[in-house]
Amino acid sequence: MDKIVPAFETTLFDPTLSDACSELAEMGIDSLLDEGICKSIPVVSLLIGIGKTAQNIHDRNLLKQTIKFINTFNEKTISPAKIEKYRKKIKDKPQFAEEELGRVIILLNSNVEIKKSELLAMFYRSYINEEIDWSTFCEFSDITSRLFISDLQLLYEIYRGNISDTSQCPVYKADRLIALGLLDSAMKSMSIGSVSGSQTQRYIQTNNLGKQFCSITLS
């Protein structure tokens, strides 16, 4: 982490380097390696160096996840004053950089779906903008790591009010979102049949945490 955290910080917060990462996103990993464009981007260059040209699947995945995170993070304007405030904090107290940026790198390293790195970047951007605190970022990052990406659409439909009970959606998906702490539920009805057995329908809605999750990731 001694080298990768500073390289990640530099790439993430330098507009010229983040623009370069946007160009890399349009290229395949093999093209990126062949053309050597990555040499000018600290974190990408370092990751390839660690991976000895990123030939194995694990290193290539981390590279893709990191580029996606940086691109998404910089898609929307972040207050320059808040970026400067944050950079000063981690410069004055390096343990914050290790804890916070180091955590992000570990999370990116564990991601398989690119979408999870995109969500993570949205939450981190909200954290830097001081819209959420560090504790909430950690909670959202933990939820994202356990989330089934295929359940996102259902979550958004419930958030928008298009679905209000479990008769309108796959119950097992609603149960997963409830288990993640994003939905609240209440009994709607119960039926007992000799053939089908008992069936319970529940009202479902996004709770405060779920609403905040959706608000950030849909904005």
Side-chain angles (χ1 to χ4, degrees):
M1 286 289 186
D2 290 346
K3 292 182 179 180
I4 196 169
V5 167
F8 186 55
E9 178 213 339
T10 299
T11 308
L12 189 62
F13 295 115
D14 186 324
T16 60
L17 294 175
S18 60
D19 287 345
C21 277
S22 295
E23 295 177 16
L24 294 186
E26 302 301 321
M27 304 172 60
I29 295 297
D30 290 327
S31 297
L32 187 158
L33 296 173
D34 290 343
E35 297 188 21
I37 298 173
C38 60
K39 292 179 181 178
S40 63
I41 304 174
V43 71
V44 177
S45 178
L46 184 63
L47 288 174
I48 290 174
I50 290 172
K52 301 186 187 304
T53 72
Q55 289 301 309
N56 66 66
I57 292 174
H58 183 273
D59 295 325
R60 292 162 74 93
N61 180 64
L62 176 57
L63 185 57
K64 287 191 295 184
Q65 302 291 350
T66 302
I67 291 172
K68 182 61 176 179
F69 178 92
I70 292 170
N71 288 341
T72 303
F73 180 83
N74 287 288
E75 275 179 354
K76 296 191 176 179
T77 302
I78 303 173
S79 164
K82 289 179 179 177
I83 289 179
E84 186 56 33
K85 179 181 177 181
Y86 181 74
R87 296 192 77 174
K88 185 178 186 304
K89 182 184 85 167
I90 59 179
K91 181 179 179 180
D92 292 345
K93 296 185 177 180
Q95 67 268 27
F96 283 119
E98 186 71 20
E99 176 188 355
E100 297 182 3
L101 292 173
R103 180 186 179 93
V104 170
I105 293 165
I106 290 169
L107 289 165
L108 292 174
N109 198 29
S110 66
N111 285 346
V112 175
E113 296 96 339
I114 288 288
K115 183 66 177 180
K116 290 193 174 184
S117 295
E118 180 183 344
L119 295 174
L120 191 66
M122 293 175 183
F123 296 131
Y124 199 69
R125 185 172 60 214
S126 291
Y127 168 59
I128 299 300
N129 264 331
E130 298 181 350
E131 296 161 356
I132 60 174
D133 59 18
W134 177 246
S135 176
T136 304
F137 170 78
C138 291
E139 187 166 13
F140 281 144
S141 65
D142 182 55
I143 288 170
T144 301
S145 69
R146 295 183 290 123
L147 175 73
F148 282 72
I149 293 300
S150 60
D151 292 346
L152 264 180
Q153 189 56 44
L154 173 59
L155 176 64
Y156 293 151
E157 289 299 301
I158 296 169
Y159 171 70
R160 294 180 179 116
N162 296 329
I163 292 176
S164 59
D165 67 67
T166 54
S167 69
Q168 301 170 300
C169 66
V171 175
Y172 70 93
K173 289 193 172 190
D175 285 341
R176 290 196 300 229
L177 293 170
I178 291 168
L180 287 175
L182 298 173
L183 300 183
D184 286 339
S185 66
M187 175 78 73
K188 179 184 180 184
S189 65
M190 176 181 287
S191 61
I192 300 175
S194 58
V195 178
S196 60
S198 62
Q199 294 183 336
T200 302
Q201 300 295 341
R202 287 167 290 162
Y203 292 110
I204 47 177
Q205 64 178 10
T206 49
N207 53 30
N208 289 337
L209 187 68
K211 288 174 182 176
Q212 193 174 27
F213 184 103
C214 293
S215 175
I216 292 171
T217 58
L218 289 172
S219 62

